[in-house]
Amino acid sequence: MAEVFEGTVQKWGNGLAIRLTRRVARASGIEEGTNVVIKADMGVLVVETKRRPMTLEERLAHFDPKRHGGEAMALRPVGKEVL
């Protein structure tokens, strides 16, 4: 079930801010330093986490040789690649 949060928009410097409770931040997967995309329309504000590209280390950690390994082409060599 979605976490429901009611808050108040407050002045923060020259802009406005909404503080997230710990429960809302945890439920949405947002933590300090999370990049977000904010979409705004009259009366509607949507905040979504922005996925960053995975680092090489993260990609290698997800690599499963049984699932991703093996031949890329199951066919026999044809043409100039035959030695």
Side-chain angles (χ1 to χ4, degrees):
M1 179 174 220
E3 189 72 34
V4 177
F5 169 73
E6 289 187 24
T8 303
V9 177
Q10 299 176 340
K11 185 172 178 152
W12 189 19
N14 290 330
L16 300 174
I18 300 172
R19 297 184 77 177
L20 302 178
T21 64
R22 183 176 294 164
R23 285 179 61 178
V24 170
R26 190 175 293 136
S28 62
I30 293 176
E31 57 189 29
E32 185 177 352
T34 301
N35 292 321
V36 296
V37 175
I38 301 171
K39 301 174 185 177
D41 200 358
M42 187 57 68
V44 177
L45 187 66
V46 177
V47 180
E48 297 176 329
T49 57
K50 181 179 179 185
R51 295 189 181 265
R52 62 171 175 71
M54 285 198 301
T55 64
L56 177 59
E57 290 79 19
E58 290 169 332
R59 288 176 182 250
L60 290 173
H62 286 92
F63 181 76
D64 179 4
K66 291 180 183 176
R67 182 172 174 213
H68 300 110
E71 291 289 332
M73 295 178 61
L75 303 175
R76 294 181 353 172
V78 294
K80 292 184 179 181
E81 72 271 13
V82 177
L83 301 175

